[in-house]
Amino acid sequence: MIKTKIGTFLAMLLLSTAVFAQANRKKVDGVAAVVGDYLILESDIDKAYIDLKQQEVDTRDINRCQMLGKLMEDKLYAHQAVQDSVKLTDAEVRDQVNQRIEFLTAQLGGDVKKLLEFYKKDDEQSMRDELFNLLKVSMLAQRMKSQIVKDVEVTPEEIRTFFNAIPASERPHFGTELEIAQIVINPVAPKASVQKVIDQLNDIKKDVEENGMSFATKAILYSHDRATGGQVLTFNRNSAFDKAFKDVAFTLQEGEISKPFESSFGWHIIQMDKIRGKEVSVRHILLMPDIPQEALNEAREKLIKIRDRIVNKEFTFDEAARNFSDEKETRNDGGQLINPEDLSTRFELTRIEPSLYARISDLTDNEVSVPFLDEDRTGKKSYRIYQITNRIDEHEADFVKDYVKIQDLALKEKQLKVVSKWMKEHIEKTYISVNGEYKKCQFNNNWLKK
């Protein structure tokens, strides 16, 4: 206990010294605030504005006090995450850095030099280092917030009380929502194309194992999965990864490379990077067999025949999906699509992904669409037909019909109260200093400890 108090005192003394030293620099380099072990510089506030603008967020109504307050919240979460030993590996942060750089580079036309100019860096490594530090704080903060609310639940009675407390004139209105089903037919690759992919994967595996070539480099050069080529993927058995992919991954030892195997995405080889208890980190290479036009035509013709039999009422769309669809994730639910935002079957019309909206927007209820050729980010092609299985028109919130949405609103309100209480308690017991003109800010939280 004594050691803890001395450690805290020394940390506060060092931070206070840092604040004093920084305060004598130019304003742009000055310390705006200190939260626990973290300094927030004036330049950090500027970078936060730039980052939001890059995400196309309108920042005109966000003043510097509000931006500082948000940064202080993140730093408090991150500080406490470290104190509570919340788990976050460097590999996970580097994965996020790679994804951010790839996304931003693509937005800038693939020109890394423009990205360096954007971050005001002379070389890629210094840019990666800065992104690593920024994203690590952000990820720690997110995990701490998740930790705070992970056990928060609402009972049916709490949901009813929440709904009844909303004045009738203020009850939310929900826009038109659709429930959508699909049937997917994948073209069948010729055996020769499949064998060619298997041989290529075996050659890559041999080149790495026998000639010392880099698996990560091979992945960047050859993997059809451009989003994760060369990157480390970290997951456990409960993660939302393809079952075949997980099954193979958990048979490997560190450094070992799997034999070629097939998943729902294509053909892979996996290299085990690290094993941490129930969690693994791997790299993979994905190759897709060439699909000739003849195979695509056969898939389309098969789907047209299925559609004709649905239209002629030989069986329902639901029955056809269960018996003929090649997509395992939706087949057993009659082809019903799941909204990734809330895991419900409803899609708000104004928020449907544009390419899907273009395919279903003109469909009447229970009408079956024509076949559409679909291609995912790995280049995998398939044909799909769609049906709107239910339409919920715009309406005022109804406790029975909209129970799931009301439950979500009630849960979020309860979570906000829990987070607010946590924030208040931890502001009181954490070293916090707000400097210069920011002492005049009207913060939502008691950062000034008045």
Side-chain angles (χ1 to χ4, degrees):
M1 183 69 179
I2 294 174
K3 288 183 178 179
T4 302
K5 288 184 177 180
I6 292 174
T8 302
F9 174 77
L10 289 173
M12 292 172 61
L13 181 61
L14 288 169
L15 288 167
S16 299
T17 303
V19 171
F20 179 79
Q22 292 276 10
N24 289 293
R25 299 184 186 180
K26 294 179 181 178
K27 180 181 178 182
V28 70
D29 293 322
V31 172
V34 181
V35 179
D37 296 332
Y38 293 98
L39 300 180
I40 301 174
L41 304 177
E42 288 276 357
S43 56
D44 291 330
I45 301 174
D46 297 330
K47 288 172 186 174
Y49 275 106
I50 294 172
D51 191 47
L52 287 179
K53 288 176 181 176
Q54 183 65 32
Q55 299 174 49
E56 299 183 350
V57 175
D58 189 349
T59 60
R60 286 176 295 183
D61 294 329
I62 303 175
N63 60 46
R64 291 185 73 83
C65 288
Q66 292 169 324
M67 188 67 80
L68 175 60
K70 175 62 173 64
L71 292 176
M72 292 179 76
E73 286 182 14
D74 287 344
K75 296 295 192 290
L76 181 61
Y77 288 130
H79 170 78
Q80 194 58 43
V82 173
Q83 306 305 308
D84 293 351
S85 300
V86 172
K87 190 175 181 182
L88 177 66
T89 65
D90 286 353
E92 291 176 283
V93 182
R94 284 193 293 270
D95 283 347
Q96 289 297 313
V97 170
N98 290 337
Q99 291 178 34
R100 175 70 68 89
I101 289 176
E102 184 171 327
F103 172 74
L104 293 175
T105 302
Q107 283 195 321
L108 295 171
D111 191 341
V112 177
K113 289 182 179 178
K114 289 183 179 179
L115 191 59
L116 292 175
E117 291 175 8
F118 175 76
Y119 278 103
K120 296 181 172 61
K121 297 296 179 183
D122 296 326
D123 58 86
E124 185 174 338
Q125 188 56 53
S126 60
M127 176 183 67
R128 284 181 175 276
D129 291 342
E130 178 165 313
L131 275 174
F132 182 92
N133 293 329
L134 290 172
L135 290 175
K136 185 172 184 178
V137 170
S138 176
M139 293 171 73
L140 280 171
Q142 188 57 50
R143 294 200 177 180
M144 189 68 243
K145 283 190 279 187
S146 297
Q147 188 84 359
I148 295 166
V149 301
K150 70 181 179 67
D151 295 325
V152 179
E153 296 178 346
V154 283
T155 65
E157 185 56 36
E158 286 176 316
I159 298 168
R160 184 178 295 279
T161 300
F162 167 80
F163 182 74
N164 290 336
I166 304 173
S169 60
E170 297 178 15
R171 286 180 181 167
H173 279 71
F174 298 124
T176 300
E177 295 175 307
L178 304 177
E179 292 185 325
I180 307 162
Q182 66 176 7
I183 296 174
V184 181
I185 298 297
N186 297 324
V188 179
K191 290 183 179 179
S193 294
V194 173
Q195 190 58 51
K196 183 179 178 181
V197 161
I198 293 173
D199 292 343
Q200 187 178 355
L201 289 170
N202 276 323
D203 287 342
I204 293 171
K205 173 179 164 72
K206 182 178 179 181
D207 210 12
V208 174
E209 291 177 336
E210 298 182 9
N211 300 322
M213 299 300 292
S214 165
F215 189 97
T217 300
K218 291 284 188 181
I220 293 170
L221 291 173
Y222 299 112
S223 182
H224 290 175
D225 187 354
R226 298 302 180 190
T228 62
Q231 294 183 24
V232 173
L233 304 176
T234 301
F235 55 92
N236 57 47
R237 288 191 181 275
N238 296 321
S239 300
F241 276 62
D242 180 272
K243 184 178 183 300
F245 191 92
K246 288 192 292 186
D247 287 347
V248 172
F250 280 95
T251 66
L252 302 175
Q253 300 299 314
E254 288 192 4
E256 185 179 1
I257 301 175
S258 73
K259 295 178 180 179
F261 68 95
E262 187 178 18
S263 78
S264 60
F265 296 97
W267 284 83
H268 308 255
I269 53 175
I270 294 175
Q271 183 185 53
M272 178 60 68
D273 183 60
K274 287 183 181 178
I275 300 173
R276 305 178 190 83
K278 296 181 179 180
E279 189 176 76
V280 298
S281 296
V282 306
R283 288 186 171 88
H284 82 117
I285 295 173
L286 169 69
L287 296 182
M288 301 290 299
D290 289 332
I291 304 293
Q293 187 60 46
E294 181 183 357
L296 286 170
N297 292 342
E298 288 176 359
R300 185 174 184 275
E301 287 302 315
K302 180 179 179 180
L303 194 53
I304 287 174
K305 290 178 181 178
I306 294 170
R307 180 184 184 276
D308 288 343
R309 294 178 72 183
I310 297 171
V311 172
N312 293 329
K313 302 187 184 306
E314 291 184 41
F315 37 63
T316 64
F317 196 99
D318 180 285
E319 292 168 339
R322 293 177 188 275
N323 286 286
F324 304 116
S325 182
D326 288 333
E327 187 174 75
K328 296 178 183 178
E329 292 80 5
T330 59
R331 183 171 60 205
N332 293 333
D333 292 321
Q336 198 73 56
L337 293 179
I338 301 299
N339 188 337
E341 291 186 4
D342 58 10
L343 301 181
S344 74
T345 57
R346 294 185 181 185
F347 291 80
E348 190 172 333
L349 188 61
T350 58
R351 299 180 64 179
I352 294 177
E353 193 269 326
S355 62
L356 177 59
Y357 178 84
R359 295 175 179 184
I360 57 89
S361 59
D362 293 331
L363 290 178
T364 58
D365 294 352
N366 297 315
E367 180 183 358
V368 183
S369 76
V370 298
F372 291 97
L373 179 62
D374 188 67
E375 184 172 345
D376 66 16
R377 61 182 173 82
T378 68
K380 182 179 179 180
K381 294 180 180 180
S382 59
Y383 273 99
R384 300 166 189 257
I385 56 175
Y386 300 91
Q387 183 184 63
I388 295 174
T389 57
N390 191 22
R391 185 186 302 268
I392 302 94
D393 293 326
E394 182 179 354
H395 62 282
E396 181 184 289
D398 178 275
F399 185 75
V400 176
K401 292 180 181 178
D402 302 302
Y403 184 83
V404 173
K405 289 183 179 294
I406 295 165
Q407 179 185 39
D408 185 56
L409 291 173
L411 177 61
K412 286 179 178 175
E413 182 187 63
K414 189 172 181 179
Q415 288 175 336
L416 283 173
K417 289 179 180 178
V418 170
V419 169
S420 178
K421 181 182 177 183
W422 183 95
M423 184 71 64
K424 182 178 180 180
E425 291 173 353
H426 285 77
I427 285 175
E428 287 301 318
K429 64 182 183 181
T430 302
Y431 174 74
I432 294 170
S433 172
V434 179
N435 302 304
E437 63 189 60
Y438 297 104
K439 289 182 178 180
K440 301 176 183 177
C441 288
Q442 299 295 314
F443 294 112
N444 289 329
N445 293 307
N446 187 28
W447 298 117
L448 298 174
K449 298 190 178 184
K450 293 181 178 178

